[in-house]
Amino acid sequence: MAVKVKSFAAIESEFNAFVGAIVYATMVTVDARNRPRTRVLIPIWENVDGTPLGWLATYRTPVKAAHIANNPHTNFSYWTQGNDSVAIDTVAAWVDDLPVKSHVWDLYKRTSPRGAGYNLGNFWRSPADPKLHVLRLTPWRIQVIRGMDLRSRIWQAA
């Protein structure tokens, strides 16, 4: 049975531990005919004034761009063999501001949460690289499930 929590703080440490250990998430978008598409990526997450916020450094592929233009609701799913899992429902939006890209570049470099992230310089030259695109991921629901006893806790935005 899932328990709803009132603040992100109630699940934040478990969220950070699971995401930092699992690292890779399956991202789900849907096309104009409501058919799902998945891909495995590494988003990063931060806490901004008590609220979670995600970022995804990515290529702006035609499929991903079309899906998000049609329906910005995305889902990210983390899972490990011990059945620890995190499901994050977000609204995604492209952000092209260089200061935001620089902030995201730094978050990836230092890993956020600890363990999640990588050196974006392996794929792009700098935050100003025109091939680097950033998605802002605004979570509206996060579910954390602890595998050892399947305890499930859900945070939802107000």
Side-chain angles (χ1 to χ4, degrees), residues 38-142:
T38 64
R39 73 272 292 151
V40 177
L41 300 166
I42 303 174
I44 53 167
W45 306 93
E46 64 178 327
N47 182 323
V48 178
D49 299 325
T51 302
L53 179 62
W55 300 100
L56 180 64
T58 189
Y59 293 99
R60 194 171 185 159
T61 64
V63 169
K64 195 182 306 155
H67 286 199
I68 290 168
N70 180 64
N71 182 346
H73 289 89
T74 59
N75 177 273
F76 292 85
S77 180
Y78 295 85
W79 177 84
T80 189
Q81 285 184 325
N83 285 327
D84 291 335
S85 64
V86 179
I88 308 163
D89 296 311
T90 75
V91 176
W94 297 103
V95 179
D96 294 319
D97 298 343
L98 185 55
V100 171
K101 286 183 171 184
S102 295
H103 173 68
V104 170
W105 187 278
D106 291 339
L107 285 174
Y108 267 92
K109 191 175 197 173
R110 69 174 190 250
T111 72
S112 180
R114 187 172 182 82
Y118 59 95
N119 181 357
L120 295 182
N122 294 334
F123 297 93
W124 299 282
R125 294 186 313 268
S126 73
D129 188 326
K131 293 180 181 177
L132 170 64
H133 295 279
V134 170
L135 278 171
R136 177 187 176 105
L137 308 170
T138 304
W140 58 270
R141 180 184 184 275
I142 297 176

